[in-house]
Amino acid sequence: MPLHVPPAPAPALRSVLTALGSPTAVREARTPSLKSAQGPLTAELPLPVHVLEHVTARSGAPRTRLTGWRFLIKGGERAVAAGETTLTADGWVFSYFFEGPYVASTELALRQAESMATPYQPRLLSVPELYMLTLWLHADITADASSGVPGPGDLLVPLAPAPPGIAAHRPHRVADLLAVLTHRLAPAPRLKNPAA
């Protein structure tokens, strides 16, 4: 089943395309792949980037907030970098270009998701406390990509590099991965002072 990639806000896409067309922005990006790319570069596969908050059981149900849109920057058939936008008081603006393991890992996870029998809306979900990024495969393909929380029909696919003990590129049901994250982020039990 094909993925149902949500449309990015037009100003977000425009800001990335403008930065991509700016020799100064590309030169200052410090991404060797962008600087050395031969031929035209395109911004493709817009993915909303959400941050997962309140993961631990004591803080209530987890929630998400949209922090930006990420575009894979393709040179030919493969992604050579990514460009990210952020929402400011003035609207969507270009934030930065980057490369590294998450670019290739995102591309691989999207290819794997394309071969699944169930259609999904792809998103990115960040868990900052664990330095973890997942491909969030949202079951409601008609949902507004800027909002929502992971639901029972959704899958989370940790991207590489994943935290120790969490397998990258293995789809997890939301409840299963949230249980692992809750355990990882729960504060350690306090030891009683034997002198007290």
Side-chain angles (χ1 to χ4, degrees):
M1 275 289 183
L3 292 175
H4 293 265
V5 178
L13 175 58
R14 240 186 341 265
S15 71
V16 169
L17 292 175
T18 300
L20 207 51
S22 164
T24 305
V26 171
R27 191 169 41 255
E28 291 177 0
R30 299 190 200 319
T31 56
S33 294
L34 275 182
K35 292 179 194 174
S36 65
Q38 300 294 317
L41 296 170
T42 59
E44 299 179 13
L45 293 167
L47 297 172
V49 181
H50 295 262
V51 171
L52 185 65
E53 300 174 324
H54 302 291
V55 177
T56 57
R58 286 194 294 186
S59 59
R63 43 174 237 227
T64 65
R65 81 183 148 79
L66 180 70
T67 59
W69 280 81
R70 183 172 295 174
F71 298 80
L72 291 181
I73 308 301
K74 289 202 166 186
E77 293 298 312
R78 67 179 193 86
V80 296
E84 192 145 328
T85 63
T86 190
L87 187 60
T88 68
D90 296 326
W92 289 101
V93 298
F94 173 73
S95 186
Y96 56 92
F97 288 118
F98 67 95
E99 61 182 82
Y102 284 135
V103 174
S105 187
T106 301
E107 197 171 35
L108 174 60
L110 287 167
R111 276 195 311 270
Q112 290 172 330
E114 276 282 338
S115 67
M116 293 181 173
T118 306
Y120 289 103
Q121 181 190 85
R123 304 171 174 198
L124 292 173
L125 185 65
S126 172
V127 184
E129 297 92 341
L130 292 176
Y131 301 100
M132 180 179 180
L133 186 63
T134 69
L135 177 64
W136 170 12
L137 297 173
H138 193 50
D140 183 356
I141 60 173
T142 63
D144 178 0
S146 65
S147 62
V149 294
D154 296 357
L155 296 177
L156 298 175
V157 182
L159 300 179
I166 297 176
H169 297 284
R170 182 173 161 252
H172 297 269
R173 290 270 168 221
V174 168
D176 297 339
L177 189 57
L178 283 180
V180 172
L181 299 180
T182 300
H183 177 71
R184 287 275 181 94
L185 294 172
R190 291 179 137 186
L191 297 175
K192 290 188 177 186
N193 185 347

